[in-house]
Amino acid sequence: MFCPNCGTKLPDGAVFCSNCGAKVQAESAPVVEPVTEPVTEPVTEPIAEPAVEPIAEPVTEPFTAQPAGETFEGEYTAQPVQESPVQRAPEQAPADYVTINIILCVASVLTCCGCISIASLVTSIIGIVAGSACKKAIAAGDWATAEAKSKTAKTMWIVSAVIVGVSILSAIVLFLTGAAASMLGSDW
């Protein structure tokens, strides 16, 4: 008896193939019922049994490849496929901080304290650009870039806020000292 799937020789009465595990239907002897009527003609032709040809077992041959003029001989081993990392969307998209950087940009123009205002203006503009890049990265689904741009925009608004605060304090100090000097007179 042979496996119909892989051709392995099996013991009589096997239900499953020991090589490939395929279910094997055991050949059962045909049930012959006794004939009650007399046969008038003798059967002259023998009944031919179907020929069962065993399927040859798979042959394992060494794998030979010739990449770039070199010959490799040995057993082929399948290598696991390395999957590229999949970026998954975070539970909450990173903040873009565009609005606060625009407010600080306007505040830096209004404070007008020379070089300090220019530094605040530059940092707030960098924050606006980084916030816009963060929005584009979120729309494209590039979460790593969105996180990085969000971090840059946040840093720029904090720096701009500190610079605007320093320029407002210096304007207040200059105003008060100028006002105090004018109140005390020119003798001071």
Side-chain angles (χ1 to χ4, degrees), residues 96-97 101 127 130-131 148-158:
D96 57 27
Y97 301 106
N101 276 302
K149 295 300 179 181
S150 174
K151 193 179 236 184
T152 302
K154 181 179 181 181
T155 303
M156 290 301 116
W157 86 256
I158 291 171

Side-chain angles (χ1 to χ4, degrees), residues 11 22-23 41 43-44 61 63 101 107 124 135 146 150 154 170 176 182:
K23 186 172 182 178
E41 293 182 21
V43 177
T44 56
E61 295 181 12
F63 175 73
N101 276 302
S124 62
K135 281 185 175 183
S150 174
K154 181 179 181 181
S170 64
L176 290 178
S182 67

Side-chain angles (χ1 to χ4, degrees), residues 100-147:
I100 193 154
N101 276 302
I102 291 172
I103 292 169
L104 289 169
C105 186
V106 171
S108 66
V109 170
L110 294 177
T111 54
C112 296
C113 282
C115 293
I116 296 175
S117 292
I118 292 172
S120 174
L121 184 64
V122 169
T123 55
S124 62
I125 289 173
I126 293 171
I128 293 169
V129 171
S132 297
C134 176
K135 281 185 175 183
K136 287 180 183 176
I138 291 170
D142 186 3
W143 301 108
T145 303
E147 288 286 337

